[in-house]
Amino acid sequence: MIIVDILICLVLLAAGVGAMLQRNLVASSVLVGVVSLMVSILFLRIGAPDVAMTEAAIGAGLSTVIFLIAVRRTEEEEQ
Amino acid sequence: MAALDIIGALLVLLGSLFLFLGALGILRMPDLYNRMQTGTKATTLGNMLTLVGLGLLEPAWLPKICLIILFVLITNPLSSHALARAAHRAGYPLAAGSVTDALREDEQAGGIEPGSTACQVRDPGSDPQPEVAE
Amino acid sequence: MVDRVLILAMALAGAGMLLALIRLLRGPNIPSRAVALDVLTLITMPVMVGLAITSGRVIYLDVALVYGILSFLGVISLARYFDQGV
Amino acid sequence: MKQIFSLALLAITGWLLWSLVPYGQATEPGPVSSHYIAHGLQENGGSNLVTSIVVNYRGFDTLGEVTVLFLSVAGAGFVLRRRSGQRRVAPRPSSEFVQTGARMLFAPMVLFGVYIFVHGHLTPGGGFQGGAVIASAVLMLLLADRDHHLPHGFMGWLESLAGFGYVLTGFLGLAIGGSFLANKGVLPLGQWNRLFSAGVIPIIYTLVGLKVGTELSTLLDVMVDSGRDHGEADAHGQKGGAA
């Protein structure tokens, strides 16, 4: 089981670093969504399904879309 | 060990192999559309096989797992279709060795919305969004 | 035996996650990243259900169900993003 | 250089977290926590202790959270509202397949959101998660078909009614049970692990779910609808709907 934890943590760390270093805003927001997803799996792993469900629904689902819409609006303003 | 357990474990293993191969495919394939094919078909099959196998391991949970499979079965073609369509309309190019482009032929033959392909993206092939200055 | 197979399968799926993340980080254009996100979400659901099986709690399935329903929204909104739709 | 430094910092933090923090520390819970653990199920009748704490013992806090969410959505809607005189360019319509699929999936997704918040006292779900699922269903409809507009009057009415119901439940608890949002004496606690149990918790979660769902849907509608005319040729589709 520890190998699954290590893999998930690797994905989490790589996605977080990528979200920080990425220049493209859309890719960055998608990576933030991936971070939320991995955190949700980790919450499930340590036995907190309530928090995991909130993280999956709001962190990985809705906030990515809200970021995308916000990026779109700022692009429209810039044009 | 019951026969159901063995079948379930085999299905789980096969499905996770498909998931791995699908992920390997999106890393190795040359262009967007090839990636899309391996990344959606193979992983949908792997997802469903794994879920069915897990459901066979715990037969009491099978209805809920079937609900998950049903939603994946409905929603995944939807998102893949929207993605492929939008990418083609935005003018992302096919790989160099591609032979045919059926959707463009369709559109040029007066099918779906003529004149909406290609030359929309400033820099096809890479991210259309300009780099943000520091 | 079954537990070992489950752990092996989840390790395979986790390796697949890592590969998909590499595509998500490298991907030359946004649709490639969207495909990688799709693969990541499709891998996540079996991992969540596998965690539910290994820990033996049926209520973990609800999390996988919620994520399974919401996951395709991200991909659709990405598609609508570069189709000038959002 | 800065990136290398931050990477090194991240690696060190990750290593520290990995090596020093165990999964779940096995300490004795404090007096309040042990009272909740020992008496929570008998006092509330819900099978999910977390929900009992969130909605019952900390019900006032949840009311505050819902109010904060309402205020933030109201502020965002005020900032994002489309200024008069600016018309938006209609986006490209999505394909027929996506529109049909979205219309077909809308009702099951709303039903699933209702399932999540009605079963809040039994499963890890709750009002916020169910509201998020409902808002996602509305968002899917908006993404598929931009000419679709939410009935804002109805949504505002529903949202106000849900908030009013929450406060009313609290005052009913004050009148009958002796404290604000009291669980005792208002409704029978019912049988453990059944749908109709846990006193007022399902009612409160239903109200919270409706409130959060309508608020997030309205926020998403305002965000999607606030696009400006950015001067592109609109060869695809007509001008946007009824302004």
Side-chain angles (χ1 to χ4, degrees):
Chain A
M1 216 56 212
I2 194 79
I3 179 122
V4 181
D5 291 342
I6 289 176
L7 280 171
I8 288 173
C9 284
L10 267 181
V11 176
L12 172 67
L13 284 175
V17 174
M20 213 164 54
L21 301 182
Q22 189 67 250
R23 289 295 173 79
N24 188 303
L25 286 178
V26 178
S28 201
S29 49
V30 170
L31 282 167
V32 170
V34 173
V35 169
S36 277
L37 186 56
M38 294 303 130
V39 169
S40 163
I41 299 178
L42 282 185
F43 277 139
L44 208 57
R45 175 80 179 86
I46 61 180
D50 303 70
V51 196
M53 192 188 266
T54 313
E55 189 73 40
I58 294 175
L62 269 183
S63 63
T64 310
V65 179
I66 288 181
F67 279 145
L68 277 180
I69 300 175
V71 170
R72 185 89 208 155
R73 289 292 99 80
T74 50
E75 276 177 8
E76 285 172 4
E77 289 286 329
E78 279 169 3
Q79 274 182 4
Chain B
M1 187 190 288
L4 215 57
D5 277 2
I6 296 176
I7 298 174
L10 281 181
L11 278 181
V12 169
L13 210 55
L14 193 66
S16 59
L17 198 64
F18 268 105
L19 287 178
F20 179 77
L21 288 180
L24 190 66
I26 67 162
L27 195 60
R28 293 289 302 157
M29 283 289 178
D31 78 336
L32 168 64
Y33 303 97
N34 283 324
R35 273 176 217 148
M36 206 170 276
Q37 160 190 306
T38 162
T40 51
K41 280 185 199 164
T43 44
T44 306
L45 177 65
N47 183 303
M48 284 163 51
L49 280 181
T50 316
L51 287 178
V52 167
L54 289 171
L56 289 182
L57 287 182
E58 290 275 348
W61 299 0
L62 203 54
K64 218 162 209 175
I65 290 178
C66 281
L67 201 59
I68 302 179
I69 294 174
L70 184 70
F71 266 103
V72 169
L73 205 57
I74 295 176
T75 58
N76 206 43
L78 206 67
S79 56
S80 314
H81 165 86
L83 194 60
R85 185 86 174 205
H88 190 271
R89 226 160 37 171
Y92 287 100
L94 271 67
S98 306
V99 180
T100 175
D101 187 352
L103 183 55
R104 177 166 298 167
E105 283 165 13
D106 250 17
E107 282 165 357
Q108 279 168 354
I112 325 144
E113 291 190 37
S116 64
T117 51
C119 58
Q120 294 276 340
V121 176
R122 276 123 355 225
D123 179 21
S126 69
D127 283 334
Q129 185 187 355
E131 299 257 301
V132 181
E134 272 190 90
Chain C
M1 181 62 197
V2 170
D3 275 354
R4 278 194 193 156
V5 170
L6 269 185
I7 289 174
L8 179 64
M10 279 161 74
L12 260 179
M17 267 184 198
L18 210 54
L19 294 182
L21 188 85
I22 292 172
R23 174 51 72 198
L24 184 54
L25 287 171
R26 269 179 47 188
N29 41 29
I30 296 175
S32 291
R33 297 176 206 267
V35 175
L37 178 69
D38 201 9
V39 171
L40 264 173
T41 59
L42 279 176
I43 296 179
T44 303
M45 272 175 259
V47 168
M48 279 176 173
V49 178
L51 280 178
I53 299 258
T54 49
S55 59
R57 296 180 67 182
V58 68
I59 56 174
Y60 286 9
L61 282 187
D62 276 0
V63 183
L65 195 49
V66 164
Y67 194 66
I69 285 177
L70 295 189
S71 62
F72 83 113
L73 266 177
V75 182
I76 280 200
S77 61
L78 269 171
R80 298 294 288 154
Y81 168 80
F82 59 82
D83 203 15
Q84 302 165 359
V86 176
Chain D
M1 189 60 214
K2 222 161 51 178
Q3 291 175 357
I4 295 171
F5 178 71
S6 62
L7 275 178
L9 192 65
L10 192 77
I12 292 172
T13 316
W15 175 72
L16 283 178
L17 281 177
W18 184 267
S19 58
L20 294 186
V21 183
Y23 274 172
Q25 205 175 3
T27 52
E28 281 293 312
V32 182
S33 309
S34 28
H35 177 263
Y36 286 167
I37 292 170
H39 299 100
L41 293 184
Q42 289 86 13
E43 283 180 7
N44 287 306
S47 65
N48 189 355
L49 189 61
V50 178
T51 303
S52 302
I53 291 175
V54 166
V55 177
N56 199 258
Y57 295 119
R58 305 270 193 258
F60 198 58
D61 187 42
T62 306
L63 182 59
E65 281 170 17
V66 174
T67 313
V68 167
L69 184 64
F70 168 70
L71 281 179
S72 57
V73 168
F78 181 73
V79 171
L80 284 176
R81 89 201 135 115
R82 202 149 19 100
R83 298 160 188 90
S84 59
Q86 288 175 350
R87 60 198 162 76
R88 73 177 162 86
V89 176
R92 284 178 184 165
S94 56
S95 69
E96 197 178 337
F97 187 47
V98 176
Q99 288 186 15
T100 312
R103 278 196 209 106
M104 200 174 76
L105 276 175
F106 177 71
M109 276 176 77
V110 171
L111 179 70
F112 183 68
V114 171
Y115 162 81
I116 292 282
F117 65 66
V118 165
H119 279 262
H121 53 297
L122 302 176
T123 61
F128 289 94
Q129 292 92 329
V133 172
I134 291 178
S136 308
V138 172
L139 172 71
M140 182 184 63
L141 213 57
L142 289 175
L143 283 180
D145 188 4
R146 274 282 298 272
D147 285 335
H148 201 276
H149 285 286
L150 283 185
H152 280 287
F154 173 70
M155 299 295 265
W157 184 77
L158 195 63
E159 197 270 337
S160 324
L161 203 68
F164 177 71
Y166 196 165
V167 180
L168 188 71
T169 314
F171 278 117
L172 272 180
L174 186 60
I176 303 173
S179 66
F180 192 70
L181 282 171
N183 200 4
K184 281 171 290 196
V186 184
L187 275 178
L189 286 184
Q191 204 179 350
W192 190 75
N193 227 347
R194 302 301 293 266
L195 177 55
F196 296 103
S197 64
V200 295
I201 290 178
I203 297 174
I204 290 177
Y205 253 164
T206 305
L207 294 172
V208 170
L210 284 178
K211 200 165 158 61
V212 172
T214 48
E215 278 164 358
L216 286 180
S217 314
T218 314
L219 173 69
L220 286 168
D221 185 45
V222 167
M223 281 192 79
V224 167
D225 207 34
S226 67
R228 272 183 59 178
D229 184 354
H230 52 285
E232 273 194 16
D234 49 345
H236 317 281
Q238 298 81 28
K239 292 274 189 241

